[in-house]
Structures are given as structure tokens and as C-alpha cells.
Amino acid sequence: MPDAIDGNGGRDHGVLAVDMRGVGKSFGASPILRGFDLAIERGSFVALLGASGSGKSTVLRILLGLEDIDSGSVLVAPNRTVVFQDARLVRNLDVSANVLIGQKRTAAARQVAVRALHEVGLSHRLHAWPHTLSGGEAQRVALARALVREPQLLLLDEPFAALDALTRIRMQQLVAELCDRHQPAVLLVTHDVDEALLLADRVVILREGALALDRPVPLGRPRNRNAPGFAALRQELLQILGVNDDVGAGPQAPAIRGAAE
Ligand SMILES: Nc1ncnc2c1ncn2[C@@H]1O[C@H](COP(=O)(O)OP(=O)(O)OP(=O)(O)O)[C@@H](O)[C@H]1O
């Protein structure tokens, strides 16, 4: 288990929800994290990008206490919760009971659940069964379940990856609103550079076990993809991730065009 941040340490922990220093982690002979550092201030939204297999989910699992580390130190806010790519609802519990999983089901708790479901736009589905929900609705329930815990740290592991493009946009807007209102610290793992830039105060990139970039996102809110500076930031991140997002302009394209002219 990582140690809990209690605000009494020698470092300035009172303002941090996450403080990972020099973390090393291997699976067998494969080093995944090598001297990985990440600090997240309370109330701050950080997006973690990186190639597939670079170790993003491993970072989240370490913060959840599901993986031990080999070296370094990890301090984390004790009140933390996670939303995964799939909502992980319990099939034989209705929506409001799913929101209250692990909580005492008092009348006051039920009121909190109703309020949270209202916040995510699901007041009309309080007693629905999980199998009757769309993917977007199920993720809203997962968000409501996270909200009722009033986490100091909200971990989001590609929470929109399984949703269609339009639902994804709506969910991004919802998460931006909820985080603005509740102000948890957030660590969002995503493959989507636009999503990172739309939501985060800071973007960090994991490469070869360490941070290849730790960059503030100097865009106002609410945000959209047409904001001045958005496109330039997007290019910068794609370049560091080693991605060229031109479609149809591979190395062959000019020669083929030339041959046809
Ligand atoms: N329990 C485990 N045992 C052995 N190897 C593991 C284990 N968990 C993860 N790995 C390996 O560690 C590496 C990092 O995995 P991780 O899931 O953290 O990457 P990721 O950046 O989240 O990837 P993706 O973007 O594809 O989800 C991968 O090579 C993975 O196969």
C-alpha cells in the first residue's frame, strides 16, 4: 500500500494529492517505471499520455495500492477512487444501489445518491437495471458512484475509450463540469491528445519509464478545439508521442500523385 498523505510530512504534502518520487517498477526482467516522478496538487487535473504498454495503468494501479513498487516513494491522498473504461456495475443491483456500493444504505446516503445521479443526468434511471443502460449511461453511473465518495483524488483510466464519438464529447463536458464543481485532484489516463488538452491543467507524457514531458495547458475554460493555441499544443504533444496525424500523406503519397499527373 502507498503511504497516505496526511499533511504532516517534511515535504509540502498539504497541497499535494499525489507525490511519487523516483519510482521503479519491473515485471519480471522488464523495467516499466525507472525513476518516475509525479506530483499532483489538490484540485489539479493532470492527463497522463504515453504509448500503449508504456506503464500508464501501472501508475494508476500503484496509486490504488494494487501494485507494489521496487524503489522510490509514493504518497497519495487516502480518499481516492477510480473509474475504469468499463463501468463495472453489479448486475443484480439497480442504479441507485450500484452508486451506494460499499456505503451504508441510510436515508441520508440515498439522498446523496439521488443528488449524484441528478448531477450526471440520470434522475430518471434511479431504479433501472444495469443491463438496460447504454454504455454512456453506465459510465454516468460509474461517475456518480465515484462522486458520492467525495474523493480527494479521482483516477480515470481511459473512462471514455469504449464510447462512441458523440457520447464521448458529452462525457468529457460532464467530467469538466463535475470536476469544476467538486474540485478533486484528477489523474486521467488517456490515449486521446484532444481529450487531454480539453480537460487537463497539465499534461504529462510517460516514455521509457519516466516523464518525457510535464507541461501546463495554458488554455482558458470552457475549452474547445478552436481555442487559440490548441492546435499548436496538439502538434507538440503528437510530436513527442511520435505520431504524425496526417491521413493519406504517407511516404508514398507524393510519388503516386506525381505519377498520375
Ligand atoms: N501483472 C503484470 N505482469 C506482467 N506484466 C505486466 C503486468 N501488468 C502490466 N504488465 C506489462 O507492463 C507493461 C505496461 O503495462 P500498462 O498496462 O501499465 O501499460 P499502459 O501504458 O497502460 O498500456 P495501454 O495504453 O495499452 O493500456 C506492459 O508491457 C504490460 O504487458
Side-chain angles (χ1 to χ4, degrees):
M1 263 325 239
D3 290 325
I5 286 179
D6 60 10
N8 297 321
R11 306 174 200 156
D12 192 9
H13 291 142
V15 299
L16 295 179
V18 168
D19 191 4
M20 302 178 77
R21 297 196 183 193
V23 172
K25 172 74 186 171
S26 299
F27 289 113
S30 313
I32 303 300
L33 300 178
R34 314 173 202 218
F36 178 79
D37 297 313
L38 179 64
I40 303 179
E41 292 178 2
R42 296 206 172 183
S44 168
F45 197 130
V46 174
L48 173 60
L49 293 165
S52 182
S54 57
K56 304 180 294 299
S57 296
T58 301
V59 170
L60 285 201
R61 289 174 57 77
I62 289 170
L63 292 174
L64 284 165
L66 299 173
E67 287 299 346
D68 291 330
I69 57 172
D70 302 332
S71 53
S73 66
V74 177
L75 292 170
V76 60
N79 185 359
R80 57 192 182 274
T81 191
V82 63
V83 175
F84 294 103
Q85 181 172 336
D86 51 327
R88 304 190 180 191
L89 303 182
V90 178
R91 302 169 52 145
N92 58 350
L93 294 179
D94 71 8
V95 160
S96 52
N98 261 286
V99 169
L100 288 178
I101 262 173
Q103 313 264 79
K104 288 198 181 116
R105 292 202 213 163
T106 60
R110 281 203 190 89
Q111 280 311 307
V112 171
V114 168
R115 219 170 30 242
L117 285 163
H118 175 73
E119 276 198 72
V120 300
L122 283 183
S123 295
H124 59 300
R125 304 291 265 152
L126 296 184
H127 301 299
W129 296 106
H131 74 271
T132 67
L133 302 176
S134 68
E137 286 173 332
Q139 279 308 73
R140 283 170 192 259
V141 178
L143 277 176
R145 186 174 55 195
L147 276 185
V148 298
R149 286 159 174 73
E150 294 182 17
Q152 292 167 318
L153 175 64
L154 177 59
L155 302 165
L156 300 173
D157 196 357
E158 299 187 47
F160 317 126
L163 303 177
D164 68 84
L166 294 179
T167 306
R168 194 176 174 123
I169 291 172
R170 290 198 194 96
M171 292 297 286
Q172 289 164 348
Q173 289 165 340
L174 177 64
V175 163
E177 276 167 35
L178 293 175
C179 290
D180 193 38
R181 202 172 310 141
H182 295 269
Q183 294 282 309
V186 183
L187 181 59
L188 166 72
V189 165
T190 180
H191 282 114
D192 183 336
V193 170
D194 283 19
E195 182 169 288
L197 290 175
L198 286 170
L199 292 174
D201 302 313
R202 252 167 75 209
V203 175
V204 297
I205 294 182
L206 174 54
R207 193 172 60 202
E208 291 171 11
L211 283 194
L213 178 88
D214 185 343
R215 194 187 197 304
V217 180
L219 302 172
R221 293 180 192 274
R223 290 185 186 161
N224 65 60
R225 291 174 175 76
N226 300 320
F230 190 98
L233 277 169
R234 187 171 188 278
Q235 275 314 315
E236 181 185 331
L237 298 185
L238 287 173
Q239 202 167 21
I240 295 168
L241 289 164
V243 179
N244 173 357
D245 69 336
D246 293 344
V247 175
Q252 298 298 322
I256 293 167
R257 244 195 331 265
E261 279 161 6

